[in-house]
Amino acid sequence: MRISETEGEALAMAKEKQFEIEWSDETFSFHKELIADGKIVGTQIAEIANAYPIEDFAILRHLKTGELESIRPTELVDLQDPGVERFFIVKGATNNRFTVEGRSMEWPQALLAAKHIKFLANAPEDQVLVLDTDAGDVEFDDNALVDLAPPAVERFKLRKLKKTVTVYYKETAFELERRKWSTEELLAAFSVPSGYKLDQISGDGEFNELKPGEQIRLREGMEFSSHPPVGQSS
């Protein structure tokens, strides 16, 4: 069968066409690759990152909806849809399942930064990650490490970041600007008696004295107290 010049050009163009993908490991530092074949299997994706042995790695496709789906080594992936395909190739034996605003996610490691969860969910910068629990909402700073390990399937929400936070000094609520505050600024805001030392109360009830000039970023629900200088009775 004779192929016309036009058909020959079309075939040549099809052979020359390449498909761009982005991939990263758990660091979220992306690399770009050009793939000659529009349809590849999970093993080929893993080979790009030298992920051996493949059974020690999870291959995750980051869908344009913001969801993550697991790709099996023999599963066929079509790269011909419009837009750049994004994949994660992460070492880890267990996929920890969670949801963000109903979007289904899974991650092969127990800890993942809140900012990376927001990235996966296509969340804008002015939103904060919130964990929905029976005891109430728990808000995460972007750099906080979130524990995704079972038994529970964690349910996250996204909430517009307020310009203020509510913190507590000796059980009295104060609404303060969301930013870094110095020890001296907090002493003044709480009207702490002159000469007294300011303490931040950790989640496990431990009192940590704030040093002069120390900077602390306020988060929702933080608790503070104070005590007189050593050797002085309250």
Side-chain angles (χ1 to χ4, degrees):
M1 182 178 65
R2 186 175 180 181
I3 300 176
S4 69
E5 185 177 342
T6 302
E7 289 174 329
E9 290 176 354
L11 285 172
M13 289 178 63
K15 289 181 179 179
E16 291 175 2
K17 185 174 181 180
Q18 292 184 310
F19 302 88
E20 186 177 339
I21 71 167
E22 290 182 343
W23 69 272
S24 178
D25 55 14
E26 67 277 7
T27 64
F28 283 66
S29 299
F30 288 97
H31 311 270
K32 292 187 177 181
E33 297 284 343
L34 292 177
I35 308 297
D37 195 343
K39 293 184 179 180
I40 57 177
V41 294
T43 301
Q44 291 173 282
I45 298 170
E47 286 174 351
I48 294 170
N50 293 317
Y52 302 107
I54 191 171
E55 57 267 22
D56 290 347
F57 290 81
I59 307 166
L60 301 168
R61 187 181 191 180
H62 189 202
L63 302 177
K64 295 175 178 64
T65 59
E67 294 180 293
L68 281 175
E69 70 172 11
S70 183
I71 303 295
R72 299 185 304 275
T74 58
E75 185 174 346
L76 194 64
V77 178
D78 190 345
L79 303 178
Q80 300 180 84
D81 293 335
V84 177
E85 295 284 357
R86 179 183 292 141
F87 298 91
F88 289 92
I89 307 160
V90 182
K91 191 170 187 178
T94 303
N95 272 347
N96 304 289
R97 300 184 183 278
F98 60 101
T99 64
V100 183
E101 294 289 349
R103 300 181 184 93
S104 178
M105 307 271 191
E106 53 187 86
W107 195 253
Q109 298 179 350
L111 300 177
L112 185 58
K115 63 183 178 184
H116 290 155
I117 296 177
K118 287 173 55 179
F119 174 88
L120 294 172
N122 299 324
E125 287 293 325
D126 64 349
Q127 290 191 328
V128 64
L129 185 73
V130 179
L131 177 62
D132 181 11
T133 74
D134 293 336
D137 290 346
V138 179
E139 190 176 290
F140 292 95
D141 286 343
D142 280 355
N143 291 323
L145 289 177
V146 182
D147 190 351
L148 304 173
V153 175
E154 304 291 18
R155 305 183 307 272
F156 296 98
K157 302 180 291 186
L158 295 168
R159 179 183 295 157
K160 191 171 180 63
L161 195 65
K162 290 170 51 181
K163 293 183 178 180
T164 60
V165 293
T166 300
V167 299
Y168 298 87
Y169 171 68
K170 293 192 172 182
E171 299 184 353
T172 299
F174 289 80
E175 189 167 353
L176 301 179
E177 186 180 352
R178 183 190 296 270
R179 62 173 174 85
K180 282 186 176 181
W181 288 65
S182 68
T183 301
E184 290 74 18
E185 287 178 309
L186 290 174
L187 287 167
F190 298 146
S191 298
V192 177
S194 178
Y196 273 49
K197 305 297 184 180
L198 186 64
D199 301 302
Q200 180 196 348
I201 307 174
S202 64
D204 57 8
E206 184 179 352
F207 284 64
N208 301 301
E209 183 181 316
L210 298 182
K211 298 179 177 61
E214 185 173 346
Q215 298 280 324
I216 181 169
R217 184 175 294 280
L218 294 188
R219 301 189 306 274
E220 188 71 24
M222 292 180 78
E223 296 182 66
F224 297 88
S225 187
S226 63
H227 67 272
V230 176
Q232 178 180 325
S233 60
S234 57

